[in-house]
Amino acid sequence: MGGWQFANVKDGTFAEYVHVTDADGNLAHIPGAVSAHEALYTTDMMSTGFAAAENAAIPIGGTVAVFAQGPVGLMATKGASLQGAGTIIAVETVPKRQELAREYGADHVVDFGDTDAVEESMELTDGVGVDAAIEALGSDQTLQDAIKVVKPGGTVSNVGYHGDGEYRHIPREEWGVGMAEIDIVTDLCPGGRLRIKRLLRLLANDRVDPTKMTTHEFEFDEIEEAFQLMDEKRTL
Amino acid sequence: MGGWQFANVKDGTFAEYVHVTDADGNLAHIPGAVSAHEALYTTDMMSTGFAAAENAAIPIGGTVAVFAQGPVGLMATKGASLQGAGTIIAVETVPKRQELAREYGADHVVDFGDTDAVEESMELTDGVGVDAAIEALGSDQTLQDAIKVVKPGGTVSNVGYHGDGEYRHIPREEWGVGMAEIDIVTDLCPGGRLRIKRLLRLLANDRVDPTKMTTHEFEFDEIEEAFQLMDEKRTL
Amino acid sequence: MGGWQFANVKDGTFAEYVHVTDADGNLAHIPGAVSAHEALYTTDMMSTGFAAAENAAIPIGGTVAVFAQGPVGLMATKGASLQGAGTIIAVETVPKRQELAREYGADHVVDFGDTDAVEESMELTDGVGVDAAIEALGSDQTLQDAIKVVKPGGTVSNVGYHGDGEYRHIPREEWGVGMAEIDIVTDLCPGGRLRIKRLLRLLANDRVDPTKMTTHEFEFDEIEEAFQLMDEKRTL
Amino acid sequence: MGGWQFANVKDGTFAEYVHVTDADGNLAHIPGAVSAHEALYTTDMMSTGFAAAENAAIPIGGTVAVFAQGPVGLMATKGASLQGAGTIIAVETVPKRQELAREYGADHVVDFGDTDAVEESMELTDGVGVDAAIEALGSDQTLQDAIKVVKPGGTVSNVGYHGDGEYRHIPREEWGVGMAEIDIVTDLCPGGRLRIKRLLRLLANDRVDPTKMTTHEFEFDEIEEAFQLMDEKRTL
């Protein structure tokens, strides 16, 4: 179900106790070595961000550009690292996120406020382009940029939620006029017991520390305030 | 090299004799059971059209829509059949091509002159959409239609050459707002000895008869007339 | 669940009515064009035999050898045909099954009573070996033969149930001393609504007629006699 | 050619200068940041060991057992780490290699001198078995052990060279009687410019330090002594 049911259809998922259908498929024990704080990240940011990297068909030692370093983008950067990328380029303009991107494995950070992200990415790859480009924002511009920087035979992996506009635009020439074996793939947060167990294992064995991304912490009864904060997207 | 070198770079490929680099990788013997007329099709129409179907990740018994039934589209239809498609919908308006589409395995022919190809395809799949949609024309409209008829988790396989315009347009909603696991993949005619040998085998063992698509035949010294005909795209 | 639950754990699957868990995932409507007689084959012989071919990574136009032509082997032969095999070699000694193998797409039938199946298969492929070898019996000998006839880079796809003996034997040299990129893969009958729907579609659109394999028919209340017949494996 | 030609057929590969066929496909520039000492590892140990991990279909966060920690096994351990394994079990009895295994990413080291490697691996995975088992030795025993510890649906990835004996033995029951979707795959050191460039990139960006495995260093004119040492397999 990829979490869809619990996030969008089923009532009560923010209550103290919740009924879970197909519990054997949907519930995972949290190992003792993993805190609730850490575990929380497996259900969305880690699963979604890693999926972006898994779908990107990154060859071991390959080059990857990750557009946008929000929590999903940061986990995509970490995911690219966990998939054996040889060079990771993170595209981001917020300093705190740039810093985290480096901590999660980015070799280069391209600040699209200062420079053209496509030009810079091409230069960093000696004009060749990247093996894989990950779109973690959901805008027409970054999807276009991702297509522009990927080389023939490469993959554009989208996990951004594209919320508005009638179309997304594929730049025809950089797409190789439809003949360059560039794949454009998409995904939604994958879930289920087996996957979440694997993600928990990455936490238990110290492969990743997602808590670096945490900006605020709340107690259970402060949930309304937490939602309000999220709704307003207050900056760091 | 996918034929690129011989088609676009190397001189002399229309002479009586031609120098072939890496002959072991690029030359295939034509079996006795296969005529030169048949064999000719392996080097482009069969290889390109079949590649469209191979890349489309058609599950055995799955549903496929093939947009445009020119020679590549017809071979994509045949390719879908050879990949085990359970239902094949061919979209085409030229009667002769519609007829050939049926011979090559189409279960339904949608005439986009009479009807809306997207609506009709959705109706033929009970509103579900197809597992795979093949674009064999190279226009913005058919690519959009292909994206519109493919269901979540499905594949849009493009082999059309997109020759003009700045952009191709992805219809955002039908694309599942970037989260529906719809892959858009592209390819160019794959070549090489091993592939061409396999395609020749399909001819030798009567799996396909591409000569039904032949509209004109020429002797070697009529080559200029042949090119003129192709250039003018004289209709059937 | 791949049918396992219904075949081995759940009671009542041979009653007039049966309780089905996760009905949305496990029940498929039989289309009007498909008889109950035909539909029956989707749940085992077609699904298992086709899976053998799907797992065999057959390149379009590739060569395939199918060892044993019982109902699963026959459907593997048909599956290889539906996956676009260019040459299919069926290994079988029972005349009725040899005949059916040809009807389901075999180009050559090798009678291992008359000839060495490995030698004959190598000869039929000009000493190269096949792209894919399917084991549909479950014996040590045929698995070894399958490994022997597959070429470097090829796939051995097993669907035979290996019921006895402590070991299966991989012939070391023909296996390429563990370095020839030969994959040995296995599977069990895959099930579920989506798959069965696709298989029913193949029946509805006349891609395959499994009823040619039927040797006996029974009414519902003759079920005990039917089981007795199966148990005794009475020959044709 | 996977290095085969240069290793086994072509003369002069140990001379000061050597003729390289298809130079565009077979030669890679060594970046300034990479020493010759490091680069040497890309052509065999890194490429072979990483291939073992790449072929093992390790899900991100999955469990992996690597049998034998010679240079290929150690790079397989590192490769599993670079592919995002959540738990890595290294099976080895030589203390120096055990230590290196931990440095390259092993979470657990199983000393088969002290304990049963299969039992211990099963225990470390709560009786479930591993997602992937890598055979990096080339013996019948370790291949059997690899099959025994892999769980249904998992992959046994062999890169060991199996140099003697008529057969390798598949333990029938642990193999799931041929129906457990366990794949047994094999490979040889993959080569070529693009791959070697990617491996050099991993060195340039400090993803791995293979020089920890170096036990002896020689000047070019000491090559005979070096070969003698290798031939005698003098221990550490």
Side-chain angles (χ1 to χ4, degrees):
Chain A
M1 294 293 296
W4 182 260
Q5 184 189 36
F6 295 105
N8 296 280
V9 179
K10 209 172 162 80
D11 284 326
T13 49
F14 288 104
E16 289 90 339
Y17 297 91
V18 60
H19 174 260
V20 172
T21 38
D22 283 323
D24 186 56
N26 288 315
L27 281 180
H29 284 283
I30 300 177
V34 177
S35 69
H37 181 176
E38 291 174 288
L40 198 62
Y41 280 100
T42 61
T43 62
D44 188 356
M45 301 316 164
M46 281 175 62
S47 189
T48 305
F50 289 180
E54 293 167 275
N55 295 341
I58 304 168
I60 200 163
T63 50
V64 183
V66 184
F67 289 82
Q69 298 291 310
V72 168
L74 285 167
M75 286 300 96
T77 295
K78 180 67 193 178
S81 172
L82 286 170
Q83 294 292 92
T87 299
I88 301 173
I89 301 165
V91 181
E92 178 57 65
T93 194
V94 177
K96 177 67 184 165
R97 290 174 171 184
Q98 291 180 336
E99 190 190 305
L100 283 169
R102 288 193 185 277
E103 288 195 37
Y104 285 129
D107 300 282
H108 306 280
V109 174
V110 173
D111 189 331
F112 62 85
D114 296 346
T115 181
D116 181 280
V118 172
E119 270 178 39
E120 184 80 3
S121 298
M122 292 308 289
E123 205 165 294
L124 285 166
T125 55
D126 301 319
V128 172
V130 294
D131 291 301
I134 294 172
E135 209 282 351
L137 181 63
S139 88
D140 196 14
Q141 184 60 50
T142 47
L143 183 62
Q144 286 190 42
D145 285 357
I147 295 168
K148 284 177 181 171
V149 301
V150 86
K151 69 178 174 192
T155 301
V156 174
S157 174
N158 182 83
V159 280
Y161 163 67
H162 292 262
D164 50 49
E166 194 170 357
Y167 297 109
R168 286 301 172 263
H169 292 77
I170 300 176
R172 186 185 63 86
E173 279 192 33
E174 291 92 340
W175 184 50
V177 302
M179 312 186 88
E181 300 182 25
I182 291 171
D183 292 356
I184 303 174
V185 306
T186 67
D187 207 349
L188 185 64
C189 176
R193 177 172 61 88
L194 293 175
R195 179 167 181 86
I196 300 302
K197 271 191 77 166
R198 289 193 295 263
L199 300 182
L200 288 167
R201 197 180 287 132
L202 291 170
L203 294 172
N205 285 339
D206 298 321
R207 300 295 204 267
V208 54
D209 177 6
T211 64
K212 291 176 184 172
M213 297 189 294
T214 303
T215 55
H216 303 74
E217 289 186 67
F218 294 91
E219 294 301 311
F220 187 77
D221 55 9
E222 301 167 319
I223 197 164
E224 285 193 37
E225 194 186 330
F227 269 107
Q228 207 160 18
L229 184 101
M230 199 174 87
D231 201 44
E232 294 168 15
K233 284 201 183 190
R234 284 186 220 151
T235 55
L236 310 186
Chain B
M1 293 295 294
W4 183 260
Q5 183 189 36
F6 295 106
N8 296 281
V9 179
K10 210 172 161 80
D11 284 326
T13 50
F14 288 105
E16 290 90 340
Y17 298 91
V18 60
H19 174 259
V20 172
T21 37
D22 284 322
D24 187 55
N26 287 314
L27 282 179
H29 284 284
I30 300 176
V34 176
S35 71
H37 180 175
E38 289 175 289
L40 199 62
Y41 279 100
T42 61
T43 62
D44 189 356
M45 301 317 167
M46 282 173 63
S47 188
T48 305
F50 289 0
E54 293 168 273
N55 295 341
I58 305 167
I60 202 163
T63 49
V64 183
V66 184
F67 288 83
Q69 298 290 311
V72 167
L74 286 166
M75 286 300 96
T77 295
K78 180 67 194 179
S81 171
L82 287 169
Q83 294 293 91
T87 300
I88 301 172
I89 301 165
V91 180
E92 178 57 64
T93 194
V94 178
K96 176 67 185 167
R97 291 174 170 185
Q98 292 181 335
E99 190 190 305
L100 282 169
R102 288 193 184 278
E103 289 195 38
Y104 285 127
D107 299 283
H108 306 280
V109 173
V110 172
D111 188 332
F112 61 85
D114 296 348
T115 182
D116 181 280
V118 171
E119 270 178 39
E120 183 81 3
S121 298
M122 292 308 289
E123 204 165 296
L124 285 166
T125 54
D126 301 321
V128 173
V130 293
D131 291 300
I134 294 173
E135 208 282 352
L137 181 63
S139 88
D140 195 16
Q141 184 61 51
T142 48
L143 183 63
Q144 286 190 42
D145 285 358
I147 295 168
K148 285 178 182 171
V149 301
V150 86
K151 71 178 172 191
T155 301
V156 175
S157 174
N158 181 83
V159 282
Y161 163 66
H162 291 262
D164 50 48
E166 196 171 355
Y167 297 110
R168 287 300 172 263
H169 293 77
I170 299 176
R172 187 186 62 87
E173 279 193 33
E174 290 92 340
W175 182 49
V177 301
M179 312 187 89
E181 300 182 27
I182 291 171
D183 292 355
I184 304 174
V185 306
T186 67
D187 207 349
L188 184 66
C189 175
R193 176 171 63 87
L194 292 175
R195 180 167 180 85
I196 301 302
K197 271 192 77 166
R198 289 193 293 263
L199 300 183
L200 288 166
R201 197 180 287 132
L202 291 169
L203 295 172
N205 284 341
D206 298 321
R207 300 295 204 267
V208 52
D209 177 6
T211 65
K212 291 176 184 171
M213 297 189 294
T214 303
T215 55
H216 304 75
E217 289 187 66
F218 295 91
E219 296 300 311
F220 187 77
D221 55 11
E222 300 167 321
I223 197 166
E224 285 193 39
E225 196 186 329
F227 268 108
Q228 210 159 20
L229 183 100
M230 199 174 87
D231 201 44
E232 294 168 13
K233 285 202 182 189
R234 285 186 218 150
T235 55
L236 310 185
Chain C
M1 294 295 296
W4 182 261
Q5 184 189 37
F6 294 105
N8 296 279
V9 179
K10 209 172 162 79
D11 284 326
T13 49
F14 288 105
E16 289 90 339
Y17 297 91
V18 60
H19 173 260
V20 172
T21 38
D22 283 322
D24 188 55
N26 287 315
L27 281 180
H29 283 284
I30 300 177
V34 177
S35 70
H37 180 177
E38 289 175 290
L40 198 62
Y41 280 100
T42 61
T43 62
D44 189 357
M45 300 317 166
M46 282 173 63
S47 188
T48 305
F50 289 0
E54 293 167 274
N55 294 342
I58 305 167
I60 200 164
T63 50
V64 183
V66 184
F67 289 83
Q69 298 291 311
V72 167
L74 286 166
M75 286 300 97
T77 295
K78 181 66 193 178
S81 171
L82 286 170
Q83 293 292 91
T87 299
I88 300 172
I89 300 165
V91 181
E92 178 57 64
T93 195
V94 178
K96 177 66 184 165
R97 291 175 170 184
Q98 292 180 336
E99 191 190 303
L100 282 169
R102 288 193 184 278
E103 289 195 38
Y104 285 128
D107 300 281
H108 307 279
V109 173
V110 173
D111 188 332
F112 62 85
D114 296 347
T115 182
D116 181 281
V118 172
E119 271 178 38
E120 184 80 3
S121 298
M122 292 308 288
E123 205 165 294
L124 285 166
T125 55
D126 302 320
V128 172
V130 293
D131 290 300
I134 294 172
E135 208 282 352
L137 180 63
S139 88
D140 195 16
Q141 184 61 50
T142 48
L143 182 63
Q144 285 190 42
D145 285 358
I147 294 169
K148 285 178 181 171
V149 301
V150 87
K151 70 178 173 191
T155 301
V156 173
S157 174
N158 181 83
V159 280
Y161 163 66
H162 292 262
D164 51 48
E166 195 171 355
Y167 297 110
R168 287 301 173 262
H169 293 77
I170 300 176
R172 187 185 61 86
E173 280 192 33
E174 291 92 340
W175 183 48
V177 303
M179 313 186 87
E181 300 181 28
I182 291 172
D183 292 355
I184 303 174
V185 306
T186 67
D187 207 349
L188 185 65
C189 175
R193 176 171 62 87
L194 292 175
R195 179 168 182 86
I196 301 301
K197 271 192 77 165
R198 290 193 293 262
L199 300 182
L200 288 166
R201 199 181 286 131
L202 291 170
L203 295 172
N205 285 340
D206 298 320
R207 300 295 204 266
V208 52
D209 177 6
T211 64
K212 290 176 183 172
M213 297 189 294
T214 303
T215 55
H216 304 75
E217 288 187 66
F218 294 91
E219 295 300 312
F220 187 78
D221 55 10
E222 300 166 319
I223 196 165
E224 284 194 38
E225 196 187 330
F227 268 107
Q228 208 160 20
L229 183 101
M230 199 174 86
D231 201 44
E232 294 168 12
K233 285 203 182 189
R234 284 186 218 151
T235 55
L236 312 184
Chain D
M1 295 292 296
W4 182 260
Q5 184 188 36
F6 294 105
N8 297 280
V9 178
K10 208 171 163 81
D11 285 326
T13 49
F14 288 105
E16 289 89 340
Y17 298 91
V18 60
H19 174 260
V20 172
T21 38
D22 284 322
D24 187 56
N26 287 314
L27 282 180
H29 284 284
I30 300 176
V34 177
S35 70
H37 181 176
E38 290 174 288
L40 198 63
Y41 279 100
T42 61
T43 62
D44 189 357
M45 300 317 165
M46 282 173 62
S47 189
T48 305
F50 289 180
E54 293 167 276
N55 295 341
I58 305 167
I60 202 163
T63 50
V64 183
V66 184
F67 288 82
Q69 298 291 310
V72 167
L74 285 167
M75 286 299 96
T77 295
K78 180 67 193 178
S81 172
L82 287 169
Q83 295 291 93
T87 299
I88 301 173
I89 300 165
V91 181
E92 177 57 65
T93 195
V94 178
K96 176 68 184 164
R97 291 175 170 182
Q98 293 181 335
E99 189 190 306
L100 283 169
R102 289 193 184 275
E103 288 195 37
Y104 286 128
D107 301 282
H108 307 280
V109 173
V110 173
D111 188 331
F112 61 86
D114 296 347
T115 182
D116 182 281
V118 171
E119 269 178 40
E120 183 81 3
S121 298
M122 293 307 288
E123 205 164 296
L124 285 166
T125 56
D126 300 321
V128 172
V130 293
D131 291 300
I134 294 174
E135 208 283 352
L137 181 63
S139 88
D140 195 14
Q141 184 61 49
T142 48
L143 183 62
Q144 286 190 41
D145 285 357
I147 295 168
K148 284 177 182 172
V149 301
V150 87
K151 71 178 172 190
T155 301
V156 175
S157 174
N158 181 82
V159 282
Y161 162 67
H162 292 262
D164 50 48
E166 196 170 355
Y167 297 109
R168 287 300 172 264
H169 292 77
I170 299 177
R172 185 184 63 86
E173 279 193 32
E174 290 92 341
W175 183 51
V177 302
M179 312 186 87
E181 300 182 27
I182 291 172
D183 292 355
I184 303 174
V185 306
T186 67
D187 206 349
L188 185 64
C189 176
R193 177 171 63 87
L194 293 175
R195 179 167 181 86
I196 300 302
K197 271 191 78 166
R198 289 193 293 263
L199 300 183
L200 288 166
R201 198 179 287 132
L202 291 170
L203 295 172
N205 285 340
D206 298 321
R207 299 297 203 267
V208 52
D209 176 6
T211 65
K212 290 176 185 171
M213 297 189 294
T214 303
T215 55
H216 303 76
E217 289 188 65
F218 294 91
E219 295 300 310
F220 187 78
D221 55 9
E222 300 166 319
I223 196 165
E224 286 193 37
E225 196 187 329
F227 269 107
Q228 210 160 19
L229 184 101
M230 198 175 87
D231 201 44
E232 293 167 14
K233 286 202 181 189
R234 284 185 219 152
T235 55
L236 311 185

